[in-house]
Amino acid sequence: LYVKTHIKLGDILFDDFKHLMALETTNTNTSSGESVSNITSDTQNWSFLIHGSASINSLTIDSTDFEGFNVNRLHINDMSALFKLTDSSYIVDQFKLKVFEGEMNNSLHYKVRDDGTQSVSTHNIIHDVNIRTLLRDMDNFGMDSVITYENISGIFSTDINTFVPIDDSILINKMLVSGDITLEKGGVYDFPPAQEISKFTSIKELDNIQFKTLRSNIFMFKNKLYVPRTNIVSNAIDIAAFGMQSMINDSEYHLEVHLSNLLFGKSKKRNKKQEESGEEIDEESLKKSSQKLKYTSTEGKTKVGKGSKESREIMMNKIRVQKKMLDFIFFPKNIHYNTDLD
């Protein structure tokens, strides 16, 4: 079967289709055992190729639950994509849309191998998304125990690659992620880890941090998210941080804090200088006159204290080794999202 198509749709209100989904669920649940037994298991001796483009003017989804995942509000505009579907792979490229006050350009490659295993590869480029709007409208992605839209604000951008293997279900512990993230003109508010550090350092401003720019190159390997050395320039304090966050909420972060910030707080003169000149953290000054801190969370128990040279070196070496292992098996540039015919 060969199909070439170009699909154009106008404004879609998802609420208009909710009743159809309910009917489908009812029909599935009430189907008889006899009808199921009549389904043959004969192998299909044909293949298909469907390719083309699709565009939607707007899509509105309000207060909807997708198998336990809640969407509070989702308004998407100017959606368009190229696609190529076959019996062994689904490819979507240049999937562009405007959402959460920003823009996205995504690519996806779903593949079924001869042994029955499956995988999904994605490349996501996001520009100027309001992270608070994103978390609020998507119900914090179910991560309320980690962070909510009330704890963070800012303009979020990223260029990130992901590989997700699938067996009977998604194998989260084998997921691979690598990419750059940027958060600008934002803040962190009433965030428990920051509050713990605030108590330890006696810097009250950490309960309400306003930062200019946060840039980091993150990666995920063996069910753990790693954050290499990242500079954070804020109104309250200048910090260099690195560490690890596991998917079971255990974490370990190391911080270098300007000693003058700890003793006197960050001066208005320093803030003004960084704002006017775009100056980032002075690495040499930070290395010579900084307090080393360590934040850990294990099985729900948190601890803030002074970080030893040994523990810092162990974490830095772990990040380097895990990144090399990831780079040895994960090659995003070799994953193609081409929808042209071969």
Side-chain angles (χ1 to χ4, degrees):
L1 173 65
Y2 171 75
V3 177
K4 181 178 181 180
T5 182
H6 300 283
I7 304 169
K8 289 186 177 182
L9 299 175
D11 301 319
I12 298 177
L13 299 177
F14 183 78
D15 285 357
D16 294 342
F17 299 91
K18 279 185 178 180
H19 68 286
L20 295 178
M21 296 178 64
L23 286 173
E24 182 180 353
T25 302
T26 302
N27 291 335
T28 302
N29 292 335
T30 57
S31 59
S32 66
E34 181 180 356
S35 61
V36 173
S37 63
N38 288 333
I39 298 176
T40 63
S41 58
D42 294 339
T43 303
Q44 296 287 351
N45 293 318
W46 55 277
S47 60
F48 64 88
L49 170 59
I50 304 172
H51 77 111
S53 64
S55 64
I56 300 175
N57 187 47
S58 70
L59 172 63
T60 301
I61 303 175
D62 286 320
S63 187
T64 300
D65 183 85
F66 291 102
E67 298 183 356
F69 181 79
N70 189 48
V71 175
N72 290 329
R73 179 178 182 269
L74 183 58
H75 292 185
I76 304 174
N77 294 297
D78 300 333
M79 297 175 65
S80 63
L82 304 176
F83 60 86
K84 181 170 72 173
L85 314 178
T86 71
D87 42 332
S88 61
S89 68
Y90 298 167
I91 300 175
V92 179
D93 192 23
Q94 299 180 43
F95 180 23
K96 301 177 182 179
L97 61 153
K98 295 179 180 178
V99 65
F100 309 123
E101 304 170 39
E103 298 182 356
M104 298 184 181
N105 187 350
N106 309 295
S107 300
L108 178 147
H109 189 160
Y110 168 75
K111 188 172 184 179
V112 180
R113 297 175 179 79
D114 293 337
D115 61 2
T117 59
Q118 309 161 61
S119 65
V120 175
S121 301
T122 64
H123 180 203
N124 307 99
I125 300 174
I126 299 174
H127 290 296
D128 301 333
V129 161
N130 187 320
I131 195 167
R132 172 165 283 185
T133 303
L134 168 65
L135 291 174
R136 182 196 64 202
D137 293 357
M138 302 306 291
D139 197 29
N140 303 312
F141 293 100
M143 300 188 301
D144 299 63
S145 61
V146 179
I147 195 167
T148 74
Y149 73 89
E150 296 175 327
N151 298 131
I152 192 169
S153 69
I155 306 303
F156 176 70
S157 300
T158 186
D159 186 336
I160 198 163
N161 292 279
T162 305
F163 174 79
V164 184
I166 304 172
D167 196 352
D168 293 330
S169 60
I170 294 175
L171 304 177
I172 298 295
N173 61 326
K174 294 185 178 180
M175 181 186 297
L176 306 176
V177 178
S178 180
D180 301 316
I181 64 169
T182 302
L183 192 60
E184 300 175 288
K185 301 176 183 178
V188 177
Y189 318 97
D190 301 323
F191 187 48
Q195 290 176 320
E196 292 279 349
I197 298 172
S198 174
K199 291 178 183 178
F200 185 81
T201 59
S202 299
I203 298 178
K204 295 181 180 179
E205 290 86 350
L206 286 174
D207 290 338
N208 186 354
I209 306 172
Q210 300 287 331
F211 54 80
K212 181 176 62 176
T213 303
L214 187 158
R215 293 187 180 91
S216 185
N217 176 261
I218 64 169
F219 66 94
M220 183 174 174
F221 185 57
K222 293 184 178 179
N223 212 30
K224 294 179 180 178
L225 181 68
Y226 292 91
V227 181
R229 186 180 178 86
T230 300
N231 292 333
I232 305 171
V233 178
S234 79
N235 65 316
I237 198 167
D238 286 348
I239 302 173
F242 59 91
M244 175 275 299
Q245 174 81 48
S246 77
M247 294 299 102
I248 56 174
N249 293 334
D250 290 349
S251 61
E252 178 181 328
Y253 289 99
H254 294 263
L255 302 91
E256 294 178 10
V257 184
H258 267 294
L259 194 56
S260 60
N261 294 162
L262 283 171
L263 295 175
F264 312 110
K266 190 174 179 182
S267 68
K268 293 182 179 178
K269 183 178 179 181
R270 175 71 173 170
N271 275 325
K272 185 177 180 180
K273 184 179 179 181
Q274 288 179 326
E275 184 177 348
E276 291 177 349
S277 66
E279 177 188 3
E280 299 294 337
I281 291 177
D282 184 342
E283 290 286 353
E284 290 301 320
S285 174
L286 189 60
K287 290 178 181 178
K288 292 178 181 178
S289 58
S290 64
Q291 174 69 60
K292 310 309 193 279
L293 302 175
K294 180 181 178 181
Y295 171 86
T296 59
S297 176
T298 306
E299 297 181 352
K301 297 181 180 180
T302 62
K303 182 180 179 180
V304 178
K306 292 184 178 181
S308 68
K309 182 179 180 180
E310 180 183 7
S311 65
R312 289 170 53 78
E313 289 180 349
I314 290 174
M315 178 53 68
M316 285 190 290
N317 287 333
K318 187 173 185 179
I319 292 174
R320 282 194 290 266
V321 170
Q322 296 301 304
K323 186 64 168 68
K324 288 182 179 180
M325 292 177 65
L326 175 67
D327 291 341
F328 185 74
I329 63 173
F330 187 34
F331 304 98
K333 291 183 179 180
N334 291 346
I335 301 171
H336 75 86
Y337 301 99
N338 189 3
T339 59
D340 295 335
L341 297 182
D342 297 331

